[in-house]
Amino acid sequence: MSCCILDGVIVMNLRIRDLREDRDLKQREIAEYLHCDQSLYSKYERGERSLPLEYAVDLARLYDVSLDYLTGLTCEKRPFPQK
């Protein structure tokens, strides 16, 4: 049984917010990292806009988590090993 009981989109919105807050980062700082406006990034966290795959990859790298974790497919944070 998966520990991720919510819809993948909802899980991702919660996870990107939680990962940011766990590192004491502001939305503005993440928006700068992604080269987007803070208001747009805020919409990603609230689920008002879909997070583009390119941004999801960038955030997974920033937080050192897998895309599967970010999207709620797994509760295992560790990314797959690089070959």
Side-chain angles (χ1 to χ4, degrees), residues 3-34:
C3 65
C4 305
I5 58 173
L6 300 173
D7 179 59
V9 174
I10 294 170
V11 170
M12 183 164 59
N13 298 340
L14 296 172
R15 289 217 166 135
I16 63 174
R17 185 195 68 212
D18 289 345
L19 288 165
R20 176 182 59 78
E21 290 176 348
D22 287 348
R23 287 161 179 77
D24 296 321
L25 297 169
K26 306 281 186 213
Q27 285 184 345
R28 175 187 47 77
E29 294 171 300
I30 301 303
E32 288 174 7
Y33 175 78
L34 297 175

Side-chain angles (χ1 to χ4, degrees), residues 45-58:
E45 282 194 4
R46 292 191 317 263
E48 294 177 13
R49 296 277 305 260
S50 294
L51 184 69
L53 179 59
E54 176 184 347
Y55 287 174
V57 169
D58 289 342

